[in-house]
Structure formats: structure tokens, C-alpha cells
Amino acid sequence: MLSVQNAYVEFRVAQTKKWPWSPAGIVHAVNGVSFELEAGRTIGIVGESGCGKSTLIRAVAGLAPLVSGTVTLDGEQVDYGNRTSMQRLRATMQMIFQDPIASLNPRMTIREIVTEPLTFFRPEMGAADRKTAALAMLERVGIPPAQANRFPHEFSGGQCQRIGIARALVAEPKVLLCDEPVSALDVSIQAQVVNLLKELQREMGLALVFVAHDLGVVRHISDEVLVMYMGAQMERAPAADLVRAPQHPYAKALLSAVPVPDPNIRIAPQMLEGDLPSPMDLPPGCLFASRCPHAMAKCIKARPPMVQREGHEAACYLLDDASAEQEPCLSDS
Ligand SMILES: Nc1ncnc2c1ncn2[C@@H]1O[C@H](COP(=O)(O)OP(=O)(O)OP(=O)(O)O)[C@@H](O)[C@H]1O
Ligand code: SF4
Ligand SMILES: [Mg+2]
């Protein structure tokens, strides 16, 4: 349903220039990410703040500039400069944003908000049918139709997120991109919204891309998980396998911070030392080398390739059979 290959996203930013003719700074926000997603399946995207999760899915949705790479949606490659291709993308792919209240127009009633996508994507529907479909969708996400003439500020954060979900799904897209849809909500509401998304996915066969900080939530909802660091993919694996046996040193450190609901299992959180590289000046080698306890001399020279091992795909020299003869760790010498 969705295939993203070798996606790169850069932003030009103003910076203090040494000379007036010095070039503008470039933030390398996404550096060669690839994944595929089937209908009815979920891929979770995790990684620490600033690693490029939002930028990646915004680029897929056409809301950030894709410098290179391809996105194929339901068998057709998306041409972001082409109006017809973008209209097809908008009808097929919708997005739920992180801030539930800011993502709704405060001047429109929630009925108008949920009806609007039908006006664009289902022009064949009459006004009465659109209204009926919008009210049914609101009811489906747990908002009583009697409240449909209210404005977004009259609802709680969790209700606004439900309204955002209703708006995204009312025109029956095939792919839903969710940018931390539950991070602004408290735990009990998070569970309701996540379970609602799962139910709707089952009913509609949606392909879900789910970005989150909370690995517990990602583990619950995802079939597969992609771990990002400094805009690049470090590991991709089925969710259960990644949680049970992460392969990449960064994925291991990230997962060691997730509490395990078993008092007999104690995993000490692994503290990462060292500085993150600047996204405006990426090193030539492994992007994680400055914080990796296993970094070797070759790690700082060239990017490790993606290698497959036991269903995991990870970018690390430690997993590469061809370089199995490991060099001593830099931290040991
Ligand atoms: N419009 C922009 N202009 C310049 N740099 C940007 C822009 N948007 C994002 N960035 C930079 O791109 C990088 C990735 O940002 P992004 O918002 O995708 O991170 P994230 O993983 O979603 O973080 P968080 O978990 O905090 O939401 C960051 O270094 C950020 O500063
Ligand atoms: S390639 Fe080297 S620096 Fe990068 S994660 Fe693997 S061991 Fe660590
Ligand atoms: Mg983000």
C-alpha cells in the first residue's frame, strides 16, 4: 500500500555567517529511510526527539520537501509537483497531528470540520448524505451527534483527538499517518484512542504509520517497528522481535528504558554518554558512533550498510558477517 525508498529531507536554515557569501546552513533531517507497509498493517516509528520522525511522515504526506527518494502509494509513484498526483495522495492518505486542539479550525463547528473532507474527496455526495456520513463518523469515534454544532474549544484534548481521527477517516483513506496522536493525552485516554485506531483499522483495512515516543504504545499497536537516529534508520524488525531482542546498540539502549511489567525481570536502563552530532554537519561514519559503547575505528570512517539478521534489518558493523572479525572498541583503547 505504501512504499518509501531512500527518503532524504533537508531544510535550509539561516545561521550566523562568517562572510556574507558563506552558504546557508542545511539541516539533514531525514537521511535515507526506507520502509514498506501493507494494507491492514501498522509500522511504528520511534527514536529520540529531533531524530526526524515527524519530518519523515510530513515528507511522505507532501508537507515537507523530499530532496530525493520515492514514495509509492497503492502501486503508483507519487509526483509531489503534480496536481493530479497530489489530489490522489490527499484522498488516499490522511494524517493525524500531534496537537489535537491546534489541528482543528477554531472557527468551524465540529460537524463542518468532519464534513469538509467529504466536500473535497466525495463531490458526488449530496449535502444531506455528507452530513449523515459526518455525524455517523463522529458517533463512531464516541462524540454524540447532538454535540456536532459545538466548536473545538468546547471539547477536551482527548475528544479533540477523536474529532481529528473522525476528520481524517471520514473520506475513507487507505493510509493514515499518525504523528504522536496520543502523546498529549493522559494514560487512560491514550489507551482508548489507541484501541479506537486499532478497531477502525480492522474495519477499514487501513495501513497505519504510527509515530510515538512511548515504546509501550508502539509495541501495543505496531506489527513492525522502525528505529530512527539522527534522521537515519538504525533498525527495523517485527515489533515483538525488536522488543525481545533488539540488535542495534541504539535500539538496545532505547528499549532498556522501557519498563517491563514483570517484577522478576529487571533491566537496568542503559545511559548513553557522548554528544549527538549536529544535523548540519553529519559525520561520514556511523551516526551513532559518538555515543556507541562498541564503536570501532571503521565505524567513524564509513556508514555501516543495512544488514539482515534473524528477521531484523540493522545498520551496524557488529551484525555484518563480512566484517565479523571485530576490531577493538575505541572506548577500550
Ligand atoms: N522547518 C524546519 N526547518 C529547519 N529545521 C527543521 C524544520 N523542521 C524540522 N527541522 C529539524 O529537523 C530535525 C528533525 O525534526 P523532527 O521534528 O522531524 O523531529 P522528531 O523526531 O519529530 O522530534 P519530536 O519527537 O521532538 O517530535 C530536527 O533537527 C529539527 O530541528
Ligand atoms: S556501526 Fe559501530 S558505532 Fe555504529 S552502532 Fe555499530 S558498533 Fe556502534
Ligand atoms: Mg515530532
Side-chain angles (χ1 to χ4, degrees):
M1 182 55 71
L2 175 66
S3 164
V4 176
Q5 297 303 321
N6 232 359
Y8 282 81
V9 182
E10 294 172 355
F11 295 106
R12 284 183 173 272
V13 287
Q15 61 174 349
T16 317
K17 292 183 177 180
K18 193 171 176 191
W19 306 106
W21 55 87
S22 303
I26 293 179
V27 174
H28 301 275
V30 177
N31 302 299
V33 175
S34 305
F35 65 87
E36 300 83 31
L37 182 62
E38 288 172 21
R41 309 267 299 169
T42 303
I43 186 163
I45 301 182
V46 296
E48 61 198 2
S49 188
C51 72
K53 306 179 294 294
S54 298
T55 306
L56 171 66
I57 64 166
R58 288 174 71 84
V60 169
L63 303 174
L66 201 59
V67 174
S68 65
T70 57
V71 175
T72 309
L73 183 59
D74 201 9
E76 260 182 56
Q77 188 174 329
V78 180
D79 178 353
Y80 290 97
N82 179 294
R83 200 178 153 85
T84 315
S85 182
M86 286 309 286
Q87 277 171 346
R88 185 177 164 273
L89 175 135
R90 299 261 183 265
T92 314
M93 182 193 281
Q94 285 290 311
M95 186 155 169
I96 300 177
F97 297 89
Q98 184 168 358
D99 184 339
I101 296 170
S103 62
L104 303 175
N105 187 335
R107 290 162 190 257
M108 292 167 85
T109 64
I110 63 160
R111 180 171 60 77
E112 289 166 340
I113 287 172
V114 177
T115 310
E116 197 180 36
L118 293 172
T119 316
F120 285 108
F121 304 128
R122 299 278 180 273
E124 72 284 359
M125 283 173 92
D129 289 345
R130 284 202 292 266
K131 184 178 168 191
T132 311
L135 293 181
M137 194 67 218
L138 279 169
E139 195 165 19
R140 183 69 200 80
V141 298
I143 305 290
Q147 299 179 1
N149 287 331
R150 293 197 199 167
F151 289 87
H153 72 271
E154 297 174 80
F155 292 90
S156 70
Q159 287 171 323
C160 284
Q161 197 57 289
R162 286 162 180 271
I163 297 161
I165 294 173
R167 178 185 161 89
L169 295 184
V170 70
E172 299 181 9
K174 294 178 177 170
V175 179
L176 187 62
L177 307 174
C178 310
D179 190 1
E180 308 208 27
V182 293
S183 61
L185 311 176
D186 65 54
V187 176
S188 59
I189 307 291
Q190 278 189 7
Q192 287 175 14
V193 173
V194 167
N195 289 336
L196 172 68
L197 278 171
K198 282 183 93 168
E199 259 176 60
L200 292 169
Q201 177 182 40
R202 261 196 304 274
E203 281 171 25
M204 302 169 78
L206 274 174
L208 272 183
V209 180
F210 194 93
V211 169
H213 270 122
D214 185 335
L215 278 156
V217 173
V218 171
R219 181 172 54 184
H220 178 64
I221 197 167
S222 310
D223 299 296
E224 197 181 26
V225 178
L226 173 71
V227 180
M228 285 180 72
Y229 181 80
M230 295 301 301
Q233 76 191 68
M234 297 287 117
E235 182 163 351
R236 201 176 99 193
D241 294 351
L242 186 88
V243 171
R244 199 180 53 247
Q247 302 287 313
H248 193 282
Y250 176 63
K252 285 182 187 170
L254 200 65
L255 280 147
S256 73
V258 182
V260 180
D262 181 344
N264 298 318
I265 301 177
R266 282 167 193 266
I267 301 173
Q270 199 181 321
M271 301 302 289
L272 289 175
E273 287 171 6
D275 295 326
L276 269 98
S278 161
M280 292 174 72
D281 185 18
L282 294 178
C286 173
L287 298 177
F288 186 54
S290 60
R291 297 167 84 194
C292 179
H294 312 287
M296 302 165 277
K298 65 179 160 195
C299 302
I300 52 178
K301 289 187 193 135
R303 293 269 162 91
M306 267 288 173
V307 290
Q308 305 254 4
R309 186 194 268 192
E310 296 163 17
H312 296 240
E313 209 176 65
C316 175
Y317 285 121
L318 292 175
L319 309 175
D320 185 1
D321 285 340
S323 51
E325 266 182 38
Q326 287 156 19
E327 300 172 29
C329 285
L330 290 177
S331 54
D332 296 341
S333 53

